[in-house]
Amino acid sequence: MKKIVSLALAAAAVLSLTACGADKTASTSDASANAAAETMTITSLNGSKEEISLEVPSDPQRIAILDMASLDILDALGVGDRVVGTADTSLEYLQSYIGGDVANLGTIKEADLEAVMASEPDVIFIGGRLASSYDALSEIAPVVYLSVDTEVGVVESVRKNATTIASLFGMESKVDELMAGFDGRIEALSAFAKDKTAIIGMTTSGSYNVLGNDGRCSIIGREIGFQNIGIDANLDTSTHGNEASFEFIVDKNPDYIFVMDRDAAVGTDGAKLAQEIMENQLVMGTNAYKNGHIVYLSHPAVWYTAEGGITALDLMLSDLESTLLT
């Protein structure tokens, strides 16, 4: 009888151990599943501006921002409270992220690596001006580098980048809501721009640099559709454009002249205002001036430092609508 009881107890022990082992295996599997769910893969750029697959934390809680367009999108998505550090900016609509508990991480051109590291971010966002710092920043946390693709267009670039950022938080469905209305506004401006010529450029250091459809302000010539006659299509104007003489502007005699004041955008001390530079005797002889068609973009800092954000896109289109459609 004792032997039978002992065998029964042994069998029970084996079953118990087996069950514990199963529970342990299940727990290990659950932990692995949870760990896998904590990361995701997105498409981003590397330091050479090439598309890559990047593993990032899903639902990141601590975000470092060195790109104003990305901060703009995060703000629009309603997750700005996760920003632990940001580059300095003069943009009015992003001032709530400057100072206070939000660490200063340098500028959009020069990151303070020590400050970035001290902020202990889960993920870091950068723009093109910090491409050369990509590897150094990647030593701290995954670096999401997004940009505007002028071939695709500004609106579609904003939509794509907003969707990428929203995917980190499972908020992709909100992007359509945020982008609502932009296509219609582009269509209205395009109808106005049909068959009209323009020179597009920016004032800087007392001169006027013409821009093509390959960089800043490209939305005017590419998506809105003004015929940009200010530059040879084969020339690279994506950074600061190419300096043009005022005689060149007179010779081209466009229907419209668009002016973005770079010095005002970056706060250059003692710089001439765009209007002082442009409204000289030569330019005043053009049809654009005579017809009141010199368009000074009202938010130069947005055009120059934040193109690619949702609020930025709204302000850029407003700059054009307020001059052209009213």
Side-chain angles (χ1 to χ4, degrees):
M1 186 69 172
K2 289 183 179 179
K3 185 174 182 180
I4 293 173
V5 172
S6 298
L7 287 172
L9 290 172
V14 169
L15 288 172
S16 177
L17 287 171
T18 301
C20 289
D23 288 343
K24 185 175 182 181
T25 300
S27 298
T28 302
S29 298
D30 290 343
S32 297
N34 290 337
E38 290 173 1
T39 63
M40 60 185 297
T41 301
I42 63 170
T43 299
S44 179
L45 301 177
N46 62 17
S48 300
K49 303 182 181 180
E50 302 163 333
E51 282 198 350
I52 60 167
S53 294
L54 178 70
E55 186 174 352
V56 296
S58 59
D59 200 27
Q61 300 298 306
R62 299 181 62 81
I63 302 171
I65 293 285
L66 292 156
D67 173 55
M68 293 304 105
S70 295
L71 179 56
D72 181 342
I73 292 170
L74 287 162
D75 180 68
L77 288 170
V79 291
D81 58 335
R82 305 187 189 196
V83 173
V84 295
T86 183
D88 194 22
T89 180
S90 64
L91 295 169
E92 291 182 7
Y93 57 93
L94 295 177
Q95 285 307 297
S96 62
Y97 297 97
I98 303 302
D101 294 333
V102 181
N104 185 323
L105 305 183
T107 70
I108 57 175
K109 293 179 66 176
E110 186 174 357
D112 182 336
L113 295 178
E114 290 185 3
V116 175
M117 184 177 294
S119 70
E120 300 181 341
D122 297 325
V123 65
I124 302 167
F125 286 87
I126 68 168
R129 294 175 177 87
L130 279 172
S132 61
S133 298
Y134 180 90
D135 290 341
L137 289 166
S138 294
E139 294 293 323
I140 301 171
V143 175
V144 180
Y145 169 15
L146 303 172
S147 69
V148 169
D149 182 347
T150 57
E151 292 293 325
V152 172
V154 176
V155 176
E156 287 309 310
S157 290
V158 173
R159 195 189 315 276
K160 177 184 176 182
N161 292 343
T163 300
T164 297
I165 293 173
S167 70
L168 273 66
F169 311 96
M171 301 174 67
E172 297 94 324
S173 62
K174 191 170 182 178
V175 174
D176 287 341
E177 173 191 334
L178 294 173
M179 296 296 295
F182 285 129
D183 290 336
R185 294 169 71 181
I186 291 289
E187 288 174 9
L189 287 165
S190 296
F192 177 88
K194 186 178 180 181
D195 299 326
K196 294 181 176 67
T197 61
I199 290 180
I200 304 161
M202 65 181 183
T203 54
T204 180
S205 303
S207 64
Y208 182 70
N209 291 11
V210 293
L211 297 163
N213 294 335
D214 59 345
R216 294 181 177 91
C217 304
S218 65
I219 192 172
I220 298 172
R222 189 175 293 279
E223 287 153 281
I224 292 171
F226 279 93
Q227 183 185 347
N228 187 354
I229 60 174
I231 196 68
D232 187 312
N234 295 320
L235 293 179
D236 179 7
T237 66
S238 59
T239 304
H240 293 117
N242 293 318
E243 186 174 347
S245 67
F246 294 114
E247 288 83 0
F248 171 84
I249 297 174
V250 172
D251 180 61
K252 291 290 185 180
N253 198 24
D255 297 323
Y256 282 80
I257 299 173
F258 292 89
V259 185
M260 187 260 285
D261 189 337
R262 177 184 177 272
D263 292 325
V266 298
T268 303
D269 290 334
K272 281 187 176 182
L273 296 175
Q275 196 165 351
E276 294 179 73
I277 296 169
M278 296 303 299
E279 297 185 15
N280 55 59
Q281 289 301 314
L282 288 171
V283 174
M284 289 169 70
T286 64
N287 289 336
Y289 177 82
K290 292 175 182 177
N291 295 324
H293 291 171
I294 297 183
V295 179
Y296 297 98
L297 302 174
S298 299
H299 296 88
V302 173
W303 288 83
Y304 190 69
T305 68
E307 183 183 56
I310 291 172
T311 299
L313 179 57
D314 175 48
L315 291 171
M316 289 161 62
L317 293 180
S318 294
D319 281 356
L320 301 174
E321 291 162 338
S322 62
T323 306
L324 304 177
L325 302 184
T326 57

